């Protein structure tokens, strides 16, 4: 579900100025370094059992998706978007995360829907499914619409 809050005149102006800046200024992507040692150790320890139980490889992306999901639930404003027509902030009570997958024509970003209900196996299965659809050229526009946060490796 979603909750809507009317934008004050001040927030409307700030939103308009930020959008103007996005359209006219150079954009920045940040990269954060972190110690992946514990996650690599966890993956190496459990990858065989995970594959045997779930029939899919245990990658790193599932950990990234579920960590981002937790953060987006903790800070709902980051998971929100602005409805320009209604002049409202729309807070989502669900988390839809776009993930980059390879296609013959380059990277595409299908959306993992309701990641707050997924576990590692669900995330890995969905990524594999979208990867296969991308390779076969079968991704639809609906598959790639609606994510509020994107993860690319």
């Amino acid at each position: 579900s979603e909750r809507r809050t009317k934008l004050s005149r001040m927030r409307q102006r700030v939103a308009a100025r930020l959008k103007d800046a996005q359209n006219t200024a150079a954009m920045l992507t940040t990269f954060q370094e972190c110690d992946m040692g514990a996650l690599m150790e966890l993956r190496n320890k459990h990858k065989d059992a995970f594959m045997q139980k779930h029939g899919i490889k245990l990658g790193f992306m599932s950990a990234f998706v579920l960590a981002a999901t937790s953060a987006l639930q903790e800070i709902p404003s980051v998971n929100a978007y602005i409805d320009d027509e209604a002049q409202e902030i729309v807070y989502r009570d669900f988390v839809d995360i776009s993930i980059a997958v390879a296609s013959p024509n380059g990277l595409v970003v299908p959306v993992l829907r309701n990641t707050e209900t997924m576990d590692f196996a669900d995330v890995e299965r969905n990524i594999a499914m979208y990867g296969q659809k991308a390779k076969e050229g079968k991704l639809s526009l609906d598959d790639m619409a609606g994510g509020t946060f994107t993860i690319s490796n």
Side-chain angles (χ1 to χ4, degrees), residues 39-105:
L39 182 57
M40 292 171 73
E41 197 175 303
L42 178 83
R43 180 179 175 267
N44 285 334
K45 181 178 178 183
H46 296 286
K47 67 181 179 180
D48 294 334
F50 188 90
M51 174 64 126
Q52 187 172 17
K53 181 176 181 177
H54 300 289
I56 191 134
K57 290 182 180 179
L58 176 59
F60 294 112
M61 192 60 89
S62 51
F64 300 154
V65 167
L66 295 178
T69 297
S70 178
L72 291 167
Q73 288 179 302
E74 189 172 324
I75 307 169
S77 59
V78 179
N79 194 40
Y81 70 95
I82 294 175
D83 180 338
D84 288 324
E85 284 186 32
Q87 291 297 307
E88 294 174 330
I89 301 174
V90 181
Y91 296 93
R92 293 177 161 175
D93 296 325
F94 55 91
V95 179
D96 288 351
I97 295 182
S98 301
I99 46 100
V101 297
S103 80
N105 298 322

Side-chain angles (χ1 to χ4, degrees), residues 97-130:
I97 295 182
S98 301
I99 46 100
V101 297
S103 80
N105 298 322
L107 288 178
V108 291
V109 284
V111 180
L112 299 175
R113 310 247 180 236
N114 299 304
T115 59
E116 76 282 359
T117 67
M118 294 183 179
D119 60 18
F120 277 56
D122 294 327
V123 171
E124 295 294 348
R125 269 191 224 97
N126 277 277
I127 291 172
M129 180 263 304
Y130 280 130

